[in-house]
PDB file of all heavy atoms in Angstrom:
ATOM      1  N   ILE A  58     -39.179 115.141 130.525  1.00  0.00           N
ATOM      2  CA  ILE A  58     -37.960 114.338 130.568  1.00  0.00           C
ATOM      3  C   ILE A  58     -36.931 114.724 129.528  1.00  0.00           C
ATOM      4  O   ILE A  58     -36.001 113.938 129.198  1.00  0.00           O
ATOM      5  CB  ILE A  58     -38.176 112.804 130.482  1.00  0.00           C
ATOM      6  CG1 ILE A  58     -38.676 112.369 129.108  1.00  0.00           C
ATOM      7  CG2 ILE A  58     -39.113 112.326 131.597  1.00  0.00           C
ATOM      8  CD1 ILE A  58     -38.565 110.867 128.858  1.00  0.00           C
ATOM      9  N   GLU A  59     -37.000 115.940 128.936  1.00  0.00           N
ATOM     10  CA  GLU A  59     -36.061 116.286 127.879  1.00  0.00           C
ATOM     11  C   GLU A  59     -34.610 116.281 128.429  1.00  0.00           C
ATOM     12  O   GLU A  59     -33.676 116.095 127.633  1.00  0.00           O
ATOM     13  CB  GLU A  59     -36.392 117.606 127.259  1.00  0.00           C
ATOM     14  CG  GLU A  59     -36.344 118.813 128.222  1.00  0.00           C
ATOM     15  CD  GLU A  59     -36.723 120.104 127.452  1.00  0.00           C
ATOM     16  OE1 GLU A  59     -37.034 120.021 126.228  1.00  0.00           O
ATOM     17  OE2 GLU A  59     -36.696 121.173 128.052  1.00  0.00           O
ATOM     18  N   GLU A  60     -34.432 116.441 129.747  1.00  0.00           N
ATOM     19  CA  GLU A  60     -33.093 116.402 130.305  1.00  0.00           C
ATOM     20  C   GLU A  60     -32.533 114.981 130.360  1.00  0.00           C
ATOM     21  O   GLU A  60     -31.377 114.757 130.650  1.00  0.00           O
ATOM     22  CB  GLU A  60     -33.098 117.008 131.727  1.00  0.00           C
ATOM     23  CG  GLU A  60     -33.675 116.146 132.783  1.00  0.00           C
ATOM     24  CD  GLU A  60     -35.215 116.126 132.828  1.00  0.00           C
ATOM     25  OE1 GLU A  60     -35.803 116.842 132.005  1.00  0.00           O
ATOM     26  OE2 GLU A  60     -35.788 115.415 133.640  1.00  0.00           O
ATOM     27  N   LYS A  61     -33.376 113.985 130.010  1.00  0.00           N
ATOM     28  CA  LYS A  61     -32.962 112.591 130.066  1.00  0.00           C
ATOM     29  C   LYS A  61     -32.721 112.018 128.698  1.00  0.00           C
ATOM     30  O   LYS A  61     -32.586 110.815 128.518  1.00  0.00           O
ATOM     31  CB  LYS A  61     -33.999 111.756 130.804  1.00  0.00           C
ATOM     32  CG  LYS A  61     -34.112 112.071 132.298  1.00  0.00           C
ATOM     33  CD  LYS A  61     -34.921 111.052 133.034  1.00  0.00           C
ATOM     34  CE  LYS A  61     -34.920 111.346 134.529  1.00  0.00           C
ATOM     35  NZ  LYS A  61     -35.644 110.324 135.315  1.00  0.00           N
ATOM     36  N   MET A  62     -32.560 112.865 127.699  1.00  0.00           N
ATOM     37  CA  MET A  62     -32.258 112.379 126.329  1.00  0.00           C
ATOM     38  C   MET A  62     -30.934 111.667 126.303  1.00  0.00           C
ATOM     39  O   MET A  62     -30.725 110.770 125.480  1.00  0.00           O
ATOM     40  CB  MET A  62     -32.270 113.531 125.348  1.00  0.00           C
ATOM     41  CG  MET A  62     -32.238 113.070 123.891  1.00  0.00           C
ATOM     42  SD  MET A  62     -32.944 114.280 122.782  1.00  0.00           S
ATOM     43  CE  MET A  62     -32.645 113.513 121.205  1.00  0.00           C
ATOM     44  N   ASN A  63     -29.996 112.028 127.200  1.00  0.00           N
ATOM     45  CA  ASN A  63     -28.688 111.393 127.221  1.00  0.00           C
ATOM     46  C   ASN A  63     -28.562 110.343 128.300  1.00  0.00           C
ATOM     47  O   ASN A  63     -27.488 109.979 128.698  1.00  0.00           O
ATOM     48  CB  ASN A  63     -27.603 112.477 127.435  1.00  0.00           C
ATOM     49  CG  ASN A  63     -27.726 113.178 128.771  1.00  0.00           C
ATOM     50  OD1 ASN A  63     -28.808 113.135 129.435  1.00  0.00           O
ATOM     51  ND2 ASN A  63     -26.649 113.788 129.257  1.00  0.00           N
ATOM     52  N   VAL A  64     -29.693 109.868 128.767  1.00  0.00           N
ATOM     53  CA  VAL A  64     -29.719 108.828 129.836  1.00  0.00           C
ATOM     54  C   VAL A  64     -30.290 107.548 129.274  1.00  0.00           C
ATOM     55  O   VAL A  64     -31.274 107.546 128.533  1.00  0.00           O
ATOM     56  CB  VAL A  64     -30.568 109.309 131.018  1.00  0.00           C
ATOM     57  CG1 VAL A  64     -30.658 108.225 132.103  1.00  0.00           C
ATOM     58  CG2 VAL A  64     -29.985 110.565 131.644  1.00  0.00           C
ATOM     59  N   GLY A  65     -29.680 106.425 129.649  1.00  0.00           N
ATOM     60  CA  GLY A  65     -30.168 105.133 129.220  1.00  0.00           C
ATOM     61  C   GLY A  65     -31.408 104.702 129.952  1.00  0.00           C
ATOM     62  O   GLY A  65     -31.944 105.435 130.805  1.00  0.00           O
ATOM     63  N   GLY A  66     -31.887 103.513 129.587  1.00  0.00           N
ATOM     64  CA  GLY A  66     -33.137 103.017 130.234  1.00  0.00           C
ATOM     65  C   GLY A  66     -34.367 103.738 129.746  1.00  0.00           C
ATOM     66  O   GLY A  66     -34.374 104.352 128.671  1.00  0.00           O
ATOM     67  N   THR A  67     -35.448 103.636 130.522  1.00  0.00           N
ATOM     68  CA  THR A  67     -36.682 104.348 130.179  1.00  0.00           C
ATOM     69  C   THR A  67     -37.255 105.016 131.392  1.00  0.00           C
ATOM     70  O   THR A  67     -37.481 104.393 132.409  1.00  0.00           O
ATOM     71  CB  THR A  67     -37.732 103.348 129.609  1.00  0.00           C
ATOM     72  OG1 THR A  67     -39.033 103.977 129.580  1.00  0.00           O
ATOM     73  CG2 THR A  67     -37.827 102.048 130.381  1.00  0.00           C
ATOM     74  N   ALA A  68     -37.472 106.329 131.256  1.00  0.00           N
ATOM     75  CA  ALA A  68     -37.974 107.132 132.381  1.00  0.00           C
ATOM     76  C   ALA A  68     -39.382 106.783 132.743  1.00  0.00           C
ATOM     77  O   ALA A  68     -39.827 107.059 133.871  1.00  0.00           O
ATOM     78  CB  ALA A  68     -37.854 108.634 132.008  1.00  0.00           C
ATOM     79  N   ILE A  69     -40.149 106.165 131.829  1.00  0.00           N
ATOM     80  CA  ILE A  69     -41.539 105.797 132.164  1.00  0.00           C
ATOM     81  C   ILE A  69     -41.641 104.361 132.579  1.00  0.00           C
ATOM     82  O   ILE A  69     -42.739 103.802 132.656  1.00  0.00           O
ATOM     83  CB  ILE A  69     -42.464 106.155 130.989  1.00  0.00           C
ATOM     84  CG1 ILE A  69     -42.107 105.412 129.723  1.00  0.00           C
ATOM     85  CG2 ILE A  69     -42.486 107.643 130.724  1.00  0.00           C
ATOM     86  CD1 ILE A  69     -43.130 105.619 128.577  1.00  0.00           C
ATOM     87  N   LYS A  70     -40.510 103.730 132.828  1.00  0.00           N
ATOM     88  CA  LYS A  70     -40.449 102.378 133.344  1.00  0.00           C
ATOM     89  C   LYS A  70     -41.015 101.346 132.359  1.00  0.00           C
ATOM     90  O   LYS A  70     -41.700 101.706 131.376  1.00  0.00           O
ATOM     91  CB  LYS A  70     -41.185 102.222 134.703  1.00  0.00           C
ATOM     92  CG  LYS A  70     -40.861 103.318 135.677  1.00  0.00           C
ATOM     93  CD  LYS A  70     -39.389 103.415 136.005  1.00  0.00           C
ATOM     94  CE  LYS A  70     -39.081 104.551 136.946  1.00  0.00           C
ATOM     95  NZ  LYS A  70     -37.638 104.740 137.174  1.00  0.00           N
ATOM     96  N   THR A  71     -40.698 100.120 132.630  1.00  0.00           N
ATOM     97  CA  THR A  71     -41.164  99.016 131.762  1.00  0.00           C
ATOM     98  C   THR A  71     -41.453  97.805 132.623  1.00  0.00           C
ATOM     99  O   THR A  71     -40.909  97.671 133.739  1.00  0.00           O
ATOM    100  CB  THR A  71     -40.135  98.699 130.687  1.00  0.00           C
ATOM    101  OG1 THR A  71     -40.667  97.688 129.768  1.00  0.00           O
ATOM    102  CG2 THR A  71     -38.821  98.211 131.259  1.00  0.00           C
ATOM    103  N   ALA A  72     -42.227  96.916 132.093  1.00  0.00           N
ATOM    104  CA  ALA A  72     -42.559  95.695 132.804  1.00  0.00           C
ATOM    105  C   ALA A  72     -43.039  94.635 131.772  1.00  0.00           C
ATOM    106  O   ALA A  72     -43.461  94.978 130.683  1.00  0.00           O
ATOM    107  CB  ALA A  72     -43.676  95.942 133.840  1.00  0.00           C
ATOM    108  N   ARG A  73     -42.982  93.395 132.202  1.00  0.00           N
ATOM    109  CA  ARG A  73     -43.514  92.329 131.327  1.00  0.00           C
ATOM    110  C   ARG A  73     -44.852  91.895 131.888  1.00  0.00           C
ATOM    111  O   ARG A  73     -45.068  91.796 133.079  1.00  0.00           O
ATOM    112  CB  ARG A  73     -42.523  91.139 131.325  1.00  0.00           C
ATOM    113  CG  ARG A  73     -41.128  91.546 130.769  1.00  0.00           C
ATOM    114  CD  ARG A  73     -40.247  90.344 130.659  1.00  0.00           C
ATOM    115  NE  ARG A  73     -38.875  90.724 130.413  1.00  0.00           N
ATOM    116  CZ  ARG A  73     -38.371  91.021 129.200  1.00  0.00           C
ATOM    117  NH1 ARG A  73     -39.183  91.021 128.170  1.00  0.00           N
ATOM    118  NH2 ARG A  73     -37.131  91.334 129.025  1.00  0.00           N
ATOM    119  N   LEU A  74     -45.780  91.607 130.989  1.00  0.00           N
ATOM    120  CA  LEU A  74     -47.129  91.201 131.363  1.00  0.00           C
ATOM    121  C   LEU A  74     -47.568  90.079 130.429  1.00  0.00           C
ATOM    122  O   LEU A  74     -48.313  90.313 129.477  1.00  0.00           O
ATOM    123  CB  LEU A  74     -48.108  92.361 131.290  1.00  0.00           C
ATOM    124  CG  LEU A  74     -49.541  92.132 131.793  1.00  0.00           C
ATOM    125  CD1 LEU A  74     -49.542  91.805 133.281  1.00  0.00           C
ATOM    126  CD2 LEU A  74     -50.416  93.324 131.486  1.00  0.00           C
ATOM    127  N   PRO A  75     -47.157  88.849 130.708  1.00  0.00           N
ATOM    128  CA  PRO A  75     -47.537  87.699 129.883  1.00  0.00           C
ATOM    129  C   PRO A  75     -49.067  87.566 129.707  1.00  0.00           C
ATOM    130  O   PRO A  75     -49.531  87.080 128.666  1.00  0.00           O
ATOM    131  CB  PRO A  75     -46.937  86.500 130.591  1.00  0.00           C
ATOM    132  CG  PRO A  75     -45.849  87.068 131.430  1.00  0.00           C
ATOM    133  CD  PRO A  75     -46.286  88.407 131.827  1.00  0.00           C
ATOM    134  N   GLU A  76     -49.793  87.994 130.753  1.00  0.00           N
ATOM    135  CA  GLU A  76     -51.235  87.847 130.718  1.00  0.00           C
ATOM    136  C   GLU A  76     -51.875  88.703 129.643  1.00  0.00           C
ATOM    137  O   GLU A  76     -53.089  88.536 129.316  1.00  0.00           O
ATOM    138  CB  GLU A  76     -51.858  88.228 132.061  1.00  0.00           C
ATOM    139  CG  GLU A  76     -51.383  87.360 133.226  1.00  0.00           C
ATOM    140  CD  GLU A  76     -50.090  87.887 133.879  1.00  0.00           C
ATOM    141  OE1 GLU A  76     -49.396  88.688 133.216  1.00  0.00           O
ATOM    142  OE2 GLU A  76     -49.785  87.461 134.992  1.00  0.00           O
ATOM    143  N   PHE A  77     -51.143  89.624 129.033  1.00  0.00           N
ATOM    144  CA  PHE A  77     -51.678  90.507 128.018  1.00  0.00           C
ATOM    145  C   PHE A  77     -52.083  89.743 126.780  1.00  0.00           C
ATOM    146  O   PHE A  77     -52.808  90.259 125.915  1.00  0.00           O
ATOM    147  CB  PHE A  77     -50.679  91.610 127.644  1.00  0.00           C
ATOM    148  CG  PHE A  77     -51.310  92.869 127.094  1.00  0.00           C
ATOM    149  CD1 PHE A  77     -52.052  93.701 127.939  1.00  0.00           C
ATOM    150  CD2 PHE A  77     -51.216  93.215 125.762  1.00  0.00           C
ATOM    151  CE1 PHE A  77     -52.656  94.819 127.432  1.00  0.00           C
ATOM    152  CE2 PHE A  77     -51.790  94.352 125.254  1.00  0.00           C
ATOM    153  CZ  PHE A  77     -52.557  95.185 126.089  1.00  0.00           C
ATOM    154  N   LYS A  78     -51.667  88.487 126.711  1.00  0.00           N
ATOM    155  CA  LYS A  78     -52.058  87.622 125.560  1.00  0.00           C
ATOM    156  C   LYS A  78     -53.563  87.298 125.653  1.00  0.00           C
ATOM    157  O   LYS A  78     -54.166  86.933 124.651  1.00  0.00           O
ATOM    158  CB  LYS A  78     -51.250  86.352 125.555  1.00  0.00           C
ATOM    159  CG  LYS A  78     -49.756  86.544 125.294  1.00  0.00           C
ATOM    160  CD  LYS A  78     -49.027  85.235 125.367  1.00  0.00           C
ATOM    161  CE  LYS A  78     -47.547  85.441 125.133  1.00  0.00           C
ATOM    162  NZ  LYS A  78     -46.767  84.156 125.258  1.00  0.00           N
TER     163      LYS A  78
END
Side-chain angles (χ1 to χ4, degrees):
I58 70 163
E59 63 181 1
E60 75 282 358
K61 293 191 176 183
M62 189 155 178
N63 64 340
V64 177
T67 166
I69 61 175
K70 314 303 179 186
T71 183
R73 301 186 190 278
L74 185 65
E76 300 88 341
F77 205 70
K78 295 178 181 178

